[in-house]
Every structure is written in C-alpha cells, then in structure tokens.
Amino acid sequence: MFNPWYHNFVYPVGSLPSEISNAISAVTGSTKASDALVAPIVLSAAAAAVQGVADVQTPYSRHEDRMPTNLFVGVIASSGDRKSSALKQVLGPFDEFEQGLLQIPQDGVDGAAETTHQFLLEQATELGVVDLFRAGAKSVFYALDEGALLIDKRLDVAAMCKRFDGTTIRHTSRKEGSIFVTDTRASMCMLTQGVTFDRVMKKKGDMLVEAGLLPRMLMSFCADAAPAGRFFAPVAVPGQYEALIAPFHERLRSLLRQYARSLKAPGGKRQLLILSPQAADLWTAFAREMDCEYANSSQWRDVAVFVRRAPEQALRLAAVLHYFSSGDTQVSEAAVQAACRVVMWHLGQAKKAFGEPPLEIRAQQLAGLLYDYLVRASPIAGPSRISRSQVLRCGPPELRKAAHLNLALHSLSSAGRIAVICQKGKEEIALINLPPSLLSYGMPVVQGRWT
C-alpha cells in the first residue's frame, strides 16, 4: 500500500500525453517553477476546454449515466514561486475566445468569430456566475490567483460543490422568482500562498472538508517549488518554448471553437466518452482498491473522504487526457493508467496536508521546529542554553504542549543535536555545536501500480 510519508515520487509528467507533458515542460522551463506547480494548472486548463464538449460514461452503469469532465485543482505555493506567471502562459486561448478572436477559415477567407462569452472567472460571486449561465454560457473556468481569499470571502462553498458535480442550478428570489439553469460545467484552478491557505483553514477548514469542496480538489503543496539557483539555469534554446507549447494551445483553441459552435445548437448533447473494455477493467480495479483497501485502512482512514473521491477523479481525468490528445470517444487503457498515477500523487499530497502523520514522522517534524527555534533563539537567550519553560512559553505554537516538546527533545537527543541538563529542578536545553542543517530523513523512491 502506498504510504506518502515514506514513499516519495515525482509528479508523473512522463505518463501524460505529449501535448500536455510538453506544455508542462515549456512552462517550467520558462518560469523555473516546479512540475508540482505547473502540471495542475495545465491539467485544469485542458479540463476546462474538454468539459464544454464531452462527458464520460460511468463504467458501473448500464444506462446512459453522464459524468462531467471538469476538474478542480488547488496549488499552494510560496510568494515568488511563479504562480501567476505560469497561469498566464497557459490561459492565452481562453483570452482569445473571450475576445472573439477564434475564427474558422472558410474557402480561404477568415470566417466570422464564433459565439463567445466570458469564460475566465477571477472575482466572481455566485449570483454573478448564475447570471452568466442564464445569459447562455454553458462552460466557465475559475482561474483564481490568490483563490483562498475568494473562497473565504466571496465564493459559495455549497454552490461550488454543485458546479463540480454539474447539477442543475435552482435559485428562488423575491425579485426574480425561480431561476432554473441546467447542463452547465465549471473547472477551477485555485492558486494561493501557504500563509493565506493556512489562515483560511484555521478559520473554516473543517467546513471546507466536511462540505466536500476540498475532497473534490486535486491538491498540490509546493513546499519546495522554487529550485535552488533557478535564475542561473541555462537559457532555453530559441524557439523551443513555442515548439513545446504550441500544440497544447492549438488544441485548446480547437476545443473552444467546438464548444462555441455547440452554443448555436440549443438542446444538443455533449459527446459521450466510453471506456474501452481494458480501460474499464483497469479503472474498476483502481476503484475497488480505493474503496476496499485504502478507505478502510487505519493508515488512510483520516483522509477517507479524499480516498473515496479518487476513483471519480481518475475517471474524469482519464477522459480529459484521452479526448484532449486524440478526440476519440473511446477512452484508452493508457489514459486510465496515467490518470490513476496522477490522482495517487495528489492523494499523497492530501494525506500529508490533512492526515495525521505517523508518530515517528510527527516527532521528526517537531524536532525540526525545535532545532530551528533553538538556532534562532540561542544568541538572544545566552551562549548555548535555553530553558524548557521558555520553549513552552515562547516557542512555536506546536511545541507549547508538553507532550509535543517531549517528542522533539527525545528525537534531537537521540540524534546527538542537543543535551538536556537538569539543574536545581529545572531543565535546560544545550544546543550542541554541529552544522546547522536539519536531520535528513531519506524517503526511498518506489514504483507501484499507480505510482
């Protein structure tokens, strides 16, 4: 069973279709951001383009049972990690759609622009989005830079869950009476800084998880998003960026033109994608493993709501990957395999962020906090000793509980980083003069069926 605390693996970019993986390489090379930051942005943009023209059939239903192909992703990264730059490089074709620049050549002459509307939503209220759908839009993309602030103040969490599910919008007001809008789709890419996300989570984190919004999102926490010396990396080969990202942008334009034409045919259905027999068997195996093994295991029980969403996320993503790269309506086994790997990576991120770590990992985390505090506080408090009571009063919040501090002290003492000295009934912590690097906890790279 995959354990994200011990089994570390990189974002599975190599499993993705070439149009998508090349676009990720282009943006990471241009911005020097990490795959963990760029890949979710690119995938959400692909989903936003596919969602307007295709749904996917659920493999477990014998009648027509459409699931939307939209995706919600959340990327948490530090300031300066190039979130805005990466998002801007991906969104160009959506800007062209909104401006009416996507034209179809007809007999060698540029045709008229296709039907258009606002597609990108940055600061949107629920009523504003409903008005946009009532005006004829069927597909939108929440491209949220500093999105956690919008979730905190503007976005309706329950309504966002319904946007993900593609359910009918039903509003009733005194002024306008009943509002009834069907068959709408919305993808979301939420980018935000870690400190902002932490503040929102402290305020309403339980509600965001229990209401189902965060479990509907593929989360990525880019703690080390900026590679060391990124601005000193070699300059890209001239023309390489355009060659890598052009097929991705052109496919976005093609799908948006297809969506624009569908707006002229009210009542028409989106294409229905169906998993091939081999793909259906693979997805069923993944779903069974998530439901029967992971969700019921003690290791994953604390994030069971995320685990139970994994099969649905894999089905949506497989449809997006396949249709974006081929346009064929039968989803391939390779697309399902790639989707399962990507979803497992994001599930590991959710486990690390929202789950309870094993005791030894928690001890290592607390030890790192304590060691960093001791290094910073020693010049102020004295030559080399700090009292236990000072840490409990003034140390990091996580260490102001005796049980947590005891774990950290034991871990650092065992590693030979500190000495705990008892004098006159008081405990003092002596920092041993070793190189000021934290303990290295190696996590081996392992390859499993989904990783």
Side-chain angles (χ1 to χ4, degrees):
M1 183 177 292
F2 169 59
N3 188 330
W5 296 106
Y6 301 103
H7 302 162
N8 191 31
F9 66 103
V10 297
Y11 203 98
V13 174
S15 300
L16 300 173
S18 59
E19 297 91 343
I20 293 176
S21 61
N22 286 343
I24 294 170
S25 297
V27 178
T28 55
S30 174
T31 62
K32 311 304 180 189
S34 70
D35 291 342
L37 190 154
V38 175
I41 297 176
V42 172
L43 290 176
S44 64
V50 171
Q51 70 187 10
V53 297
D55 296 326
V56 62
Q57 170 71 20
T58 56
Y60 45 79
S61 297
R62 297 189 178 183
H63 61 282
E64 182 177 294
D65 185 10
R66 291 173 174 262
M67 180 177 288
T69 53
N70 57 318
L71 294 173
F72 281 12
V73 305
V75 179
I76 317 301
S78 301
S79 177
D81 280 345
R82 319 298 285 177
K83 299 184 296 295
S84 300
S85 298
L87 183 63
K88 182 179 179 180
Q89 292 188 25
V90 171
L91 296 183
F94 295 99
D95 292 328
E96 295 173 15
F97 173 86
E98 292 181 326
Q99 297 171 35
L101 301 178
L102 298 183
Q103 299 177 341
I104 304 295
Q106 298 176 351
D107 299 327
V109 181
D110 285 346
E114 296 287 355
T115 304
T116 186
H117 59 74
Q118 182 182 354
F119 201 99
L120 300 174
L121 305 178
E122 296 177 356
Q123 296 195 26
T125 63
E126 174 60 14
L127 292 178
V129 175
V130 171
D131 287 342
L132 182 60
F133 284 137
R134 291 177 68 193
K138 290 294 184 180
S139 179
V140 296
F141 185 22
Y142 290 85
L144 307 178
D145 200 355
E146 291 308 326
L149 290 174
L150 296 177
I151 289 179
D152 185 30
K153 297 180 180 180
R154 289 174 177 253
L155 295 184
D156 185 321
V157 173
M160 287 302 297
C161 292
K162 293 180 179 180
R163 294 296 91 77
F164 178 86
D165 299 337
T167 54
T168 299
I169 298 173
R170 293 180 174 87
H171 280 205
T172 303
S173 69
R174 221 185 254 180
K175 292 183 178 179
E176 301 189 45
S178 297
I179 299 173
F180 187 80
V181 186
T182 63
D183 199 32
T184 61
R185 300 288 184 266
S187 284
M188 180 169 69
C189 178
M190 182 194 77
L191 309 176
T192 192
Q193 294 185 41
V195 290
T196 307
F197 185 75
D198 288 344
R199 188 162 55 246
V200 173
M201 288 299 296
K202 288 178 182 178
K203 183 178 179 181
K204 54 172 63 175
D206 290 343
M207 183 271 291
L208 292 174
V209 173
E210 292 167 4
L213 180 59
L214 288 181
R216 285 173 167 84
M217 300 177 70
L218 298 174
M219 301 298 299
S220 177
F221 293 84
C222 308
D224 301 314
R230 64 180 180 181
F231 295 115
F232 300 98
V235 178
V237 177
Q240 184 181 47
Y241 172 82
E242 291 77 9
L244 288 173
I245 205 168
F248 176 77
H249 278 168
E250 192 50 47
R251 182 56 177 156
L252 287 180
R253 294 186 184 99
S254 175
L255 290 168
L256 290 171
R257 291 189 187 104
Q258 185 179 343
Y259 163 69
R261 289 192 293 270
S262 72
L263 294 176
K264 297 180 179 180
K269 287 187 176 182
R270 299 175 181 85
Q271 292 192 65
L272 183 62
L273 311 183
I274 300 174
L275 270 62
S276 70
Q278 298 82 1
D281 290 342
L282 183 61
W283 180 86
T284 301
F286 178 75
R288 185 178 297 115
E289 187 171 342
M290 292 297 103
D291 289 341
C292 299
E293 295 183 31
Y294 278 72
N296 294 320
S297 72
S298 58
Q299 178 184 320
W300 289 88
R301 193 172 297 136
D302 51 358
V303 289
V305 288
F306 291 86
V307 173
R308 291 196 174 95
R309 283 280 174 185
E312 178 184 351
Q313 298 279 22
L315 180 60
R316 290 171 179 247
L317 181 56
V320 170
L321 296 178
H322 180 83
Y323 194 75
F324 192 90
S325 61
S326 71
D328 183 34
T329 57
Q330 189 173 69
V331 180
S332 68
E333 183 181 7
V336 173
Q337 179 74 63
C340 291
R341 287 176 175 168
V342 170
V343 169
M344 282 304 298
W345 187 93
H346 286 283
L347 189 58
Q349 294 282 289
K351 172 63 177 176
K352 286 186 175 182
F354 306 111
E356 186 66 29
L359 182 61
E360 61 271 24
I361 298 294
R362 184 57 174 156
Q364 293 168 1
Q365 293 173 340
L366 294 170
L369 288 173
L370 177 58
Y371 189 82
D372 181 62
Y373 173 74
L374 294 175
V375 170
R376 289 184 288 105
S378 287
I380 300 174
S384 60
R385 294 185 183 183
I386 296 175
S387 68
R388 175 189 174 94
S389 60
Q390 178 184 334
V391 180
L392 289 171
R393 290 195 317 270
C394 308
E398 294 88 343
L399 296 174
R400 295 181 187 179
K401 293 182 179 180
H404 290 178
L405 181 56
N406 289 339
L407 277 176
L409 290 172
H410 177 74
S411 182
L412 288 178
S413 297
S414 300
R417 294 306 182 98
I418 64 169
V420 179
I421 303 168
C422 295
Q423 287 187 345
K424 299 179 181 180
K426 295 183 180 180
E427 286 187 6
E428 290 187 337
I429 306 165
L431 185 63
I432 296 176
N433 189 21
L434 291 175
S437 59
L438 295 181
L439 296 172
S440 175
Y441 309 112
M443 294 186 181
V445 176
V446 297
Q447 294 293 332
R449 187 175 187 183
W450 315 115
T451 61

